Each structure stands twice: as structure tokens, then as C-alpha cells.
Amino acid sequence: DQQVKQNSPSLSVQEGRISILNCDYTNSMFDYFLWYKKYPAEGPTFLISISSIKDKNEDGRFTVFLNKSAKHLSLHIVPSQPGDSAVYFCAASARYTGANSKLTFGKGITLSVRP
Amino acid sequence: EAQVTQNPRYLITVTGKKLTVTCSQNMNHEYMSWYRQDPGLGLRQIYYSMNVEVTDKGDVPEGYKVSRKEKRNFPLILESPSPNQTSLYFCASTRTSGTGEQFFGPGTRLTVL
């Protein structure tokens, strides 16, 4: 059973517009959520994270929103740029509940930003 | 430069021929982990290690072995590779007391014929 779900495999947006990438989770023990970005032929790189005690975290053009009651988080990229075209993975951990540093990843979503 | 390195980056082998993929990190991280990435399946954890001599199974450990004799190194061993282990493999590390972000290596693309 997949605990972190990214149900849309791909997303295409116009340069300058907003990209919204969605992620759902099922495990109530998850208390820390991360987004990773992956370019072809490279390893994933950390983008932004959010703790379960917050509902929003912003870093430049990237904002992550967390809705704990719905077990849903989303990554907003504004404005989108062609260099943002990559695969984005949502990940979750039970960091504050005694579990180890294990990350559970979603399947990823491929974002394409059209010039 | 802080980094996680993996070798080799690309490997083509045949069924049953033992191989080792090396992973090394220079950040003095306690936690290290191996993942495989397959189309439509995302990143799945194979094995992880909380510290030297402490290893445990992840979600898909069958057919793999690991060891952690030194803090910086975490090799992945395929004793008898099979075609279903053809995949893209990533090593990652992090501090157990840190904020949870894992640093990933560049990946090893393995093909088992």
C-alpha cells in the first residue's frame, strides 16, 4: 500500500504561470514532509520541507502548503521557469515520533515548463 | 565540497555475476541509505544504516546485501544479480539529529542481462 501518493504523473505549464504539484499521504505518523527535485542523470536534490506543526513554508519562488486534516500537501512554484522542468518527488518521514530518518517517497511528477 | 559519491555510474553485467556498488560521503553523516528508482514506482528504499555496524532492511531488500564498516562508506552488494535488479540506484546520507534532508549521490544505472 503506497503511503505517499502523487497521482498525477505529469504537469505542463506556461513559463511565468503557477505550477501546483500535489501530494497525498495515508500514514498519520508522518510529521515531516519534503520535496525533492531531480534532473536527468543526477541524484535528487532537496528543495523545501515543512513540519507538521506548520501549514505553510516559503522559500523564494517555492511554497509548500500542508493540510493535515486532509493529509494533503502541495508545492507551488511562482513564477515557473523553464529551468524548473524536472521530476519532483514528495517525501515524508515520522521524524518526531521516534522513527528513524527513513523517507517514504511518492512516485514523482514530471513538470514541464513551456517557454 | 560536501558530497555523496557512487561508483560505478554505469554498469552492464550478466545474471549471477557478483557486483558491488560503492557509496561514500564526506559529511560525517550517521545515516546512510540505498534506493532504487524504477519507472512508475518512484524511489524505494533497499537498505539503510543508522551508524557503523548498524544496518536494517528497507522496503525492497531481497537480493541485496550491505555493510557499514566505516562511517563514510556504505557499499551495496548484489551476490547473484538478476534481470529484475536492472534499475537506477541512489545512495543517500543525512545526520540523524538533523532536519531530515537527505543528500543523494549521482546514481548508478545498472543493467543485468
Side-chain angles (χ1 to χ4, degrees), chain A residues 27-49:
Chain A
N27 189 339
S28 299
M29 300 295 283
F30 289 148
D31 51 23
Y32 195 70
F33 304 90
L34 309 89
W35 285 93
Y36 279 81
K37 176 179 179 180
K38 184 183 177 308
Y39 291 119
E42 295 182 11
T45 55
F46 169 74
L47 188 58
I48 193 170
S49 63

Side-chain angles (χ1 to χ4, degrees), chain A residues 2 32 34 36 38 41-46 49 87 89 93 95 100-108, chain B residues 9 31 35 37 40-43 45 48 50 59 88 90 94-96 98-102 104-106:
Chain A
Q2 199 173 15
Y32 195 70
L34 309 89
Y36 279 81
K38 184 183 177 308
E42 295 182 11
T45 55
F46 169 74
S49 63
V87 177
F89 290 101
S93 71
R95 197 172 127 225
N100 58 46
S101 303
K102 175 183 170 67
L103 292 180
T104 300
F105 285 86
K107 292 182 179 181
Chain B
R9 293 290 313 277
Y31 184 95
Y35 297 87
Q37 182 189 1
L41 296 176
L43 288 161
Q45 189 181 53
Y48 66 94
M50 296 291 288
D59 300 315
L88 181 56
F90 292 101
T94 188
R95 289 180 294 129
T96 52
T99 50
E101 295 87 4
Q102 293 189 13
F104 282 80

Side-chain angles (χ1 to χ4, degrees), chain B residues 54-66:
Chain B
V54 181
T55 63
D56 207 347
K57 296 177 180 179
D59 300 315
V60 287
E62 295 77 20
Y64 304 94
K65 286 176 56 177
V66 293

